[in-house]
Amino acid sequence: MAGEGDDVKLLGAAVSPFAVRVRMALHLKGVSYEYLEQDLFDKGELLLATNPVLKKVPVLIHAGRPVCESLAIVKYVDEVWADGASLLPADHYGRAVARFWAAYIDDKLFPAWIGILRAATEEDRAEKLEAALAVVRPMEDALAQSVASGGKDFFAGDSVGYLDLALRCNLFWFKALREMYGVTVIDANKTPRLAAWAERFEQTEAGKEAATPMKSMVEHAGKLRAMWAAAAAAAK
């Protein structure tokens, strides 16, 4: 196996969906690694040294060399530890489609649900929820198109793949939003295929591997909201 025996470390945070994405990829590929939890409010020297440009998790350190940005890391893991099933589709078109939707998730869905978390009033939160639901709906259609011919369980088919990882890593924050504010981002009445997909994923080994305690989520959300409020007050 390529890369077998090499020193592998992952700098992450339990509350980071992007770090969770990489943890699931490493689990699926059977890669042994040392996990180093990072304080996102007091970033350590190793994180700053290995990701000096963005200064954020995740960072994969393989044989002493850092790889940054979660989607780039997942592709790196898939290529270096190439034995077994690939996380990306075999055909070029399927790969392009998976990469398109993964970028859509990071560029559109992530900021949409962050907007719900940042909302200062119930009215604002309701507006942000509607905006997030509008972003989610095309993913329902994408899942329908990917499984319509064969009735497969995941975007990748019978097993979890690249696009499944890209979306699933946001699910535990969706649960936290429901716990804190009673909002539902993936609604079984509005996006039934996605809701069923999410339930299936939760039962996989990869889904269980990356579970984050709700208490940690709520505490982190409180710190973020306090930080945002302080920044808004300082800007006045």
Side-chain angles (χ1 to χ4, degrees), residues 98-205:
R99 287 169 177 152
F100 169 84
W101 284 112
Y104 176 88
I105 289 165
D106 284 3
D107 295 343
K108 302 295 184 181
L109 181 57
F110 176 72
W113 70 253
I114 284 290
I116 299 172
L117 186 61
R118 296 190 69 148
T121 66
E122 289 296 328
E123 181 179 4
D124 187 24
R125 187 169 297 114
E127 291 179 0
K128 293 299 191 295
L129 174 61
E130 284 303 313
L133 293 175
V135 173
V136 167
R137 289 186 193 106
M139 294 297 302
E140 174 84 354
D141 296 336
L143 179 59
Q145 292 170 12
S146 70
V147 302
S149 60
K152 305 300 184 181
D153 287 341
F154 301 99
F155 284 98
D158 290 320
S159 59
V160 171
Y162 179 80
L163 183 51
D164 297 287
L165 297 181
L167 180 57
R168 189 275 172 210
C169 68
N170 294 277
L171 295 185
F172 66 101
W173 267 110
F174 294 172
K175 287 185 176 181
L177 291 173
R178 185 169 64 246
E179 175 75 14
M180 292 184 290
Y181 306 120
V183 301
T184 302
V185 178
I186 294 183
D187 189 329
N189 294 319
K190 298 176 180 178
T191 50
R193 289 181 181 271
L194 278 180
W197 166 87
E199 289 184 6
R200 284 193 294 270
F201 205 135
E202 291 298 302
Q203 300 308 311
T204 65
E205 288 188 12

Side-chain angles (χ1 to χ4, degrees), residues 81-94:
W81 290 275
D83 288 3
S86 173
L87 297 176
L88 279 159
D91 64 291
H92 294 297
Y93 179 75

Side-chain angles (χ1 to χ4, degrees), residues 6 11 23 26 45 58-59 74 78 83 85-86 89-90 98 109 114 125 132 148 156 166 187 194 197 210 227 236:
D6 289 339
L11 310 187
R23 286 169 55 197
L26 290 166
E45 292 182 5
V59 179
V74 171
D78 197 30
D83 288 3
S86 173
L109 181 57
I114 284 290
R125 187 169 297 114
D187 189 329
L194 278 180
W197 166 87
M227 181 182 69
K236 292 182 179 178

Side-chain angles (χ1 to χ4, degrees), residues 13-65:
V15 296
S16 166
F18 305 108
V20 166
R21 178 182 291 169
V22 175
R23 286 169 55 197
M24 290 189 295
L26 290 166
H27 177 79
L28 286 171
K29 300 297 284 191
V31 181
S32 297
Y33 64 98
E34 180 183 0
Y35 177 71
L36 301 172
E37 180 76 9
Q38 304 297 297
D39 185 341
L40 300 183
F41 296 98
D42 184 16
K43 296 174 182 179
E45 292 182 5
L46 181 58
L47 175 59
L48 297 177
T50 53
N51 193 356
V53 176
L54 299 176
K55 303 178 177 63
K56 63 182 183 179
V57 298
V59 179
L60 183 78
I61 306 174
H62 179 209
R65 299 184 298 181

